[in-house]
C-alpha cells in the first residue's frame, strides 16, 4: 500500500514538473537573476555537439527514480561532496591507487551511496555512445543532481556545462577539511562556506537539500545520548530514540519528517518546529544570523526555490577545470591511461560530432 502511494506521488510530481519545464528554461536562458558563469563554461556548450545530452540523462533518471526514489538524494549528495572538496571535477568518483586511498573512501564519503556511482557511470556510457567521449563525468554529475531536484518536485534550472574531469583525487585530510560535519554549528558553516564565496543565504539554501534523503543514526545521536539536545522537540526526539535505540545504532531515518521524498520547503518547517535532524540543520534556526532566512524559506517555497537555484549554480562552478585542463574520462572511476592518445581521440570525436 505504501509503495503504491509513493509511486502515485512520484508520477504526479513528475507531470507537474514537466508542466513548467519549458517556461523556466525560457526565463533562465536569458540569464535573468542567475549568477555569472566562469570562463570555459557555457549555457549552450553541447547544444550542437551533443544535442540529446540532457534528454538522455533526464529520461534515464525518470526510470531510475520510478524504481527507487531514494536514489535522487544520493545523486544530489554526490555532486555536493564532489564540488566542495577540490571543485566540481569528478574526483570523488576516482578509485584509489597504489599511491594511496581515494577521496571516495575518506570518512565523510563512506556513506555516499554505491549505487550513485553506478548510476553516473551508466549515464556516461549512454551519453558517450550517443555523442562520443566529449562529455565529462563531472558535467554528467551536475546534470544528474539538477534532475534529482526536478524529478522530486523541486525547481528546474539551467546548468552551465563544459567541465573537464580532474586528474587526481583529494587526500583524506583535504576531504575532511572541506566537508562540514553534521555536528557543526552555524558559525562553522558560515565561516567554511564563506571561503568558497557563499553568503548566509546561500548556506541556508544549500542546506535545504536535506529536504530529501536519509541519514544514519551515527550522524546525529550525539544530540540524543547521553543527554538530549535542549533545542530538539521532545516528540521528535522520542521517535528518533525508537529508530536509534543506541548511540552506535546503524539504522537510518528520514532527513525530513514531513515529506521525505519530495523536494519542497518542509525542511525549513521542520527547523521552525525544532525537528531538524543534524546540529548543522537545527542551529540555522537557533542562530539569529540565519533564523530570518530559515523563516522566509519556510513560509514561502518560491523564495527558497529561487535562492536554491542561485546557490546550486554557484556551487556547480567551484574550481572547475575547463578547456585544455583535465580530461574527459573514458570511465568515471579511472583516469585515462594514455593522455596523449586520448587527446587525439577526443579531438577526432569533437570534429566528427560537429560535422554530424
Amino acid at each position: 500500500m505504501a509503495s503504491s502511494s509513493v509511486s502515485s506521488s512520484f508520477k504526479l510530481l513528475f507531470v507537474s514538473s514537466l508542466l513548467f519545464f519549458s517556461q523556466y528554461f525560457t526565463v533562465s536562458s536569458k540569464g535573468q537573476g542567475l549568477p555569472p558563469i566562469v570562463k570555459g563554461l557555457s549555457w549552450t556548450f553541447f547544444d550542437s555537439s551533443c544535442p540529446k545530452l540532457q534528454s538522455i540523462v533526464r529520461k534515464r533518471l525518470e526510470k531510475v527514480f520510478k524504481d527507487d526514489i531514494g536514489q535522487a538524494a544520493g545523486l544530489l549528495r554526490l555532486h555536493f561532496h564532489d564540488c566542495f572538496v577540490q571543485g566540481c571535477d569528478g574526483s570523488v568518483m576516482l578509485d584509489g591507487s597504489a599511491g594511496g586511498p581515494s577521496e571516495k573512501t575518506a570518512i565523510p564519503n563512506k556513506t555516499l551511496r554505491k549505487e550513485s556511482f553506478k548510476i553516473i557511470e551508466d549515464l556516461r556510457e549512454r551519453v558517450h555512445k550517443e555523442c562520443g567521449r566529449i562529455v565529462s563525468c563531472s558535467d554528467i554529475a551536475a546534470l544528474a543532481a539538477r534532475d534529482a531536484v526536478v524529478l522530486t518536485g523541486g525547481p528546474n534550472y539551467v546548468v552551465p556545462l563544459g567541465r573537464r574531469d580532474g586528474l587526481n583525487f583529494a587526500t583524506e585530510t583535504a576531504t575532511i577539511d572541506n566537508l562540514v560535519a553534521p555536528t557543526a554549528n552555524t558559525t562553522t558553516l558560515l565561516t567554511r562556506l564563506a571561503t568558497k564565496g557563499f553568503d548566509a543565504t546561500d548556506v541556508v539554501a544549500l542546506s535545504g537539500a536535506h529536504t530529501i534523503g536519509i541519514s544514519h543514526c551515527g550522524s546525529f545521536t550525539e544530540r540524543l545520548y547521553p543527554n538530549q539536545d535542549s533545542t530538539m522537540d521532545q516528540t521528535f526526539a522520542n521517535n528518533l530514540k525508537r529508530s536509534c535505540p543506541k548511540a552506535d545504532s546503524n539504522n537510518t531515518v528520514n532527513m525530513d519528517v514531513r515529506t521525505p521524498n519530495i523536494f519542497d520547503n518542509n525542511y525549513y518547517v521542520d527547523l521552525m518546529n525544532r525537528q531538524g535532524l543534524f546540529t548543522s540543520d537545527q542551529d540555522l534556526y537557533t542562530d539569529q544570523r540565519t533564523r530570518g532566512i530559515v523563516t522566509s524559506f519556510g513560509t514561502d517555497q518560491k523564495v527558497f526555490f529561487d535562492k536554491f537555484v542561485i546557490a546550486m549554480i554557484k556551487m556547480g562552478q567551484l574550481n572547475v577545470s575547463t578547456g585544455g585542463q583535465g580530461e574527459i574520462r573514458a570511465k568515471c572511476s579511472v583516469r585515462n591511461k594514455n593522455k596523449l592518445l586520448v587527446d587525439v581521440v577526443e579531438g577526432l570525436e569533437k570534429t566528427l560530432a560537429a560535422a554530424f
Side-chain angles (χ1 to χ4, degrees):
M1 190 72 179
S3 176
S4 175
S5 175
V6 170
S7 178
S8 298
S9 298
F10 170 79
K11 290 176 182 177
L12 288 172
L13 284 167
F14 174 59
V15 171
S16 64
S17 295
L18 288 183
L19 287 176
F20 65 84
F21 178 87
S22 60
Q23 178 183 359
Y24 193 93
F25 260 75
T26 300
V27 173
S28 298
S29 64
K30 297 177 182 178
Q32 297 177 359
L34 297 180
I37 57 175
V38 301
K39 184 178 180 180
L41 298 186
S42 169
W43 301 115
T44 59
F45 197 90
F46 294 109
D47 282 7
S48 297
S49 59
C50 190
K52 294 183 180 179
L53 167 62
Q54 302 204 37
S55 64
I56 291 171
V57 174
R58 177 69 63 89
K59 288 177 181 178
R60 180 57 183 166
L61 291 182
E62 287 170 10
K63 184 181 186 306
V64 169
F65 298 159
K66 184 176 181 180
D67 293 338
D68 182 1
I69 193 63
Q71 298 302 333
L75 290 170
L76 184 56
R77 187 167 179 241
L78 179 66
H79 184 49
F80 269 70
H81 280 230
D82 183 36
C83 291
F84 275 121
V85 177
Q86 61 180 24
C88 308
D89 64 350
S91 58
V92 73
M93 304 177 212
L94 286 172
D95 289 336
S97 65
S102 70
E103 186 177 328
K104 185 190 297 186
T105 58
I107 292 174
N109 291 331
K110 285 185 180 294
T111 54
L112 290 175
R113 295 184 183 222
K114 290 182 174 61
E115 191 63 26
S116 297
F117 297 100
K118 294 178 182 178
I119 292 170
I120 296 296
E121 180 60 24
D122 173 67
L123 291 171
R124 183 205 60 73
E125 289 179 357
R126 292 167 185 272
V127 169
H128 286 188
K129 181 179 180 181
E130 172 69 27
C131 304
R133 192 190 303 147
I134 61 173
V135 183
S136 67
C137 297
S138 46
D139 266 350
I140 292 171
L143 289 173
R146 189 272 309 277
D147 287 354
V149 171
V150 175
L151 294 175
T152 51
N156 208 343
Y157 57 95
V158 285
V159 177
L161 299 171
R163 298 166 189 78
R164 304 271 291 181
D165 295 320
L167 302 178
N168 301 290
F169 49 73
T171 64
E172 180 161 11
T173 299
T175 304
I176 293 171
D177 288 346
N178 282 280
L179 292 174
V180 181
T183 55
N185 60 22
T186 298
T187 295
T188 300
L189 274 173
L190 295 178
T191 302
R192 291 273 194 91
L193 270 67
T195 64
K196 300 181 185 298
F198 297 105
D199 60 23
T201 300
D202 295 325
V203 171
V204 178
L206 290 174
S207 297
H210 287 171
T211 189
I212 57 174
I214 59 176
S215 169
H216 288 84
C217 295
S219 295
F220 59 84
T221 48
E222 92 288 343
R223 300 186 68 205
L224 299 173
Y225 309 109
N227 301 307
Q228 183 183 313
D229 187 334
S230 61
T231 65
M232 185 181 286
D233 172 73
Q234 188 58 57
T235 300
F236 179 58
N238 291 342
N239 289 336
L240 290 178
K241 288 177 181 178
R242 279 192 282 272
S243 297
C244 307
K246 298 185 298 181
D248 59 352
S249 297
N250 197 37
N251 298 330
T252 59
V253 300
N254 291 322
M255 296 285 293
D256 175 1
V257 296
R258 287 172 167 77
T259 49
N261 293 319
I262 301 175
F263 196 99
D264 56 19
N265 68 333
N266 273 333
Y267 163 81
Y268 302 102
V269 176
D270 295 341
L271 303 190
M272 294 164 69
N273 285 278
R274 300 193 302 145
Q275 296 168 334
L277 193 60
F278 298 158
T279 298
S280 59
D281 293 323
Q282 191 58 52
D283 201 50
L284 292 172
Y285 189 67
T286 303
D287 195 302
Q288 292 300 317
R289 293 170 294 179
T290 48
R291 184 172 189 144
I293 304 171
V294 170
T295 302
S296 68
F297 290 173
T299 54
D300 191 331
Q301 182 165 275
K302 184 180 184 305
V303 172
F304 163 48
F305 280 4
D306 289 346
K307 298 301 184 183
F308 181 78
V309 165
I310 291 171
M312 282 296 288
I313 292 174
K314 288 171 67 174
M315 186 192 78
Q317 301 184 77
L318 287 174
N319 299 325
V320 293
S321 296
T322 61
Q325 302 169 326
E327 63 185 9
I328 305 296
R329 286 188 211 135
K331 186 176 182 181
C332 292
S333 61
V334 182
R335 265 202 62 185
N336 295 332
K337 292 182 179 180
N338 189 323
K339 184 69 168 57
L340 178 60
L341 177 60
V342 169
D343 285 343
V344 172
V345 172
E346 285 178 1
L348 290 171
E349 286 175 340
K350 288 179 181 178
T351 301
L352 290 172
F356 294 98

